[in-house]
Amino acid sequence: MSKKGVLKRRFPLLLTLLVFGYAFLYGPILSLIVYSFNESRLVTVWAGFSTRWYGELLQNDQLLSAAWLSVKIAATTASGAVILGTLAAMALVRFRRFRGRASLQVMVTAPLVMPEVIIGLSLLLLFVAMQETIGWPSGRGQTTITIAHMTFAMAYVTVIVQSRLAHMDRSLEEAALDLGARPVKVFFTITLPLIAPALMAGWLLAFTLSLDDLVVASFVSGPGATTLPMVVYSSVRLGVSPEINALATIVVLLVSVAVLVAGVLLYRQEKRAQMEMQLTQANNQATK
């Protein structure tokens, strides 16, 4: 039997598995969105369409303040993780041999496999010891949460950027250096645009990890800093509120828009980079 015939026979099975897979992943999210427009306070009993809980959400200062705090922490964490992760990736890829390279590689990959409970507890002990020794940080709050999130988020960014740098063609950088450009200018004008898709992907991943974290934040936060996952977790222990469904629906909408915009920008950046690469190769061949 030909390969086309085999694929045709397997298509119903593959389609069924695909439908069940997507239903398993996105069915609960779709149910949450539907019940956010429920009139009843009971999230499992449909009582008619209503946008009542979105109005109630706008009056819930606790949820809104926690959401705003989480967004600020996530944005700061993602930006710092991209900077530190890019520097670590550059050191691991461009400098093959230096003292401490193995230790740096281990420290970068350790947060990827280490349980969050261990990370949170170790950072809590570190912050307590620093406060007793040098007086900083004075209490636990937004600063300690940001530092803790940046600690494990930069590991993910490093892996993404390292992979991009390892497979990047260095001929453009070498040509610029041969023409007299300084290494710093080469980095900002050539290397940085080429690894921009990886930086954007790392930023989005770090932002999501920080926004979603509950375990580490529970260890390193104080009474004056409560993130959104902590508020949601404490709320659902007493029963799911329709306001939580409304908030989750807004978050899903914002994340979907952000992923769509990022995907479009990454696609355009990749196409532009490919066109510039082809143009450069054509010019090199014409010169030869």
Side-chain angles (χ1 to χ4, degrees):
M1 183 179 294
S2 63
K3 185 177 181 179
K4 185 176 181 180
V6 173
L7 291 176
K8 187 175 181 180
R9 289 185 58 184
R10 292 181 178 179
F11 179 75
L13 176 61
L14 295 176
L15 182 61
T16 303
L17 294 176
L18 181 65
V19 170
F20 274 104
Y22 276 109
F24 179 78
L25 290 174
Y26 296 105
I29 298 178
L30 181 61
S31 174
L32 181 146
I33 294 175
V34 170
Y35 277 98
S36 69
F37 296 99
N38 187 13
E39 174 67 26
S40 173
R41 177 172 289 275
L42 300 176
V43 295
T44 57
V45 179
W46 182 259
F49 180 85
S50 175
T51 58
R52 164 190 174 187
W53 303 112
Y54 289 88
E56 295 284 344
L57 175 63
L58 296 178
Q59 304 299 325
N60 194 326
D61 294 334
Q62 182 185 19
L63 276 177
L64 294 179
S65 60
W68 176 239
L69 177 63
S70 294
V71 169
K72 290 191 295 183
I73 292 175
T76 306
T77 298
S79 301
V82 166
I83 295 174
L84 296 177
T86 302
L87 294 176
M90 289 288 293
L92 292 172
V93 175
R94 297 299 170 83
F95 303 97
R96 295 292 183 178
R97 296 179 180 178
F98 61 90
R99 182 175 298 179
R101 186 183 189 280
S103 300
L104 177 61
Q105 185 70 54
V106 170
M107 288 188 292
V108 165
T109 56
L112 300 177
V113 296
M114 190 176 298
E116 292 185 344
V117 175
I118 303 300
I119 297 176
L121 180 59
S122 61
L123 288 171
L124 172 61
L125 297 177
L126 173 65
F127 292 142
V128 171
M130 290 177 60
Q131 184 177 1
E132 294 178 352
T133 304
I134 63 176
W136 184 90
S138 57
R140 296 181 296 276
Q142 180 178 344
T143 302
T144 55
I145 297 175
T146 303
I147 296 174
H149 285 181
M150 201 178 300
T151 301
F152 65 83
M154 68 167 291
Y156 293 88
V157 177
T158 302
V159 172
I160 296 174
V161 178
Q162 184 179 358
S163 176
R164 178 70 174 180
L165 286 171
H167 296 86
M168 191 183 72
D169 186 8
R170 297 192 61 183
S171 60
L172 293 177
E173 295 177 321
E174 294 173 354
L177 291 172
D178 292 339
L179 293 174
R182 295 181 179 274
V184 176
K185 186 175 182 181
V186 172
F187 175 78
F188 283 103
T189 58
I190 295 178
T191 308
L192 198 60
L194 290 177
I195 65 174
L199 297 180
M200 186 175 296
W203 194 94
L204 290 174
L205 180 59
F207 184 89
T208 304
L209 290 172
S210 176
L211 191 66
D212 184 60
D213 176 70
L214 171 64
V215 178
V216 176
S218 299
F219 279 95
V220 299
S221 64
T226 305
T227 61
L228 181 61
M230 296 170 63
V231 173
V232 172
Y233 178 72
S234 61
S235 300
V236 298
R237 293 177 65 182
L238 302 177
V240 181
S241 170
E243 296 177 14
I244 302 297
N245 290 348
L247 177 62
T249 301
I250 295 175
V251 171
V252 169
L253 178 61
L254 294 177
V255 169
S256 301
V257 172
V259 169
L260 181 61
V261 172
V264 173
L265 293 177
L266 288 175
Y267 176 77
R268 291 181 177 179
Q269 181 73 21
E270 191 71 23
K271 294 294 290 185
R272 188 181 300 111
Q274 292 178 359
M275 292 178 62
E276 292 177 355
M277 185 71 66
Q278 293 174 359
L279 182 61
T280 302
Q281 293 177 354
N283 292 334
N284 292 336
Q285 293 178 357
T287 303
K288 293 179 180 180

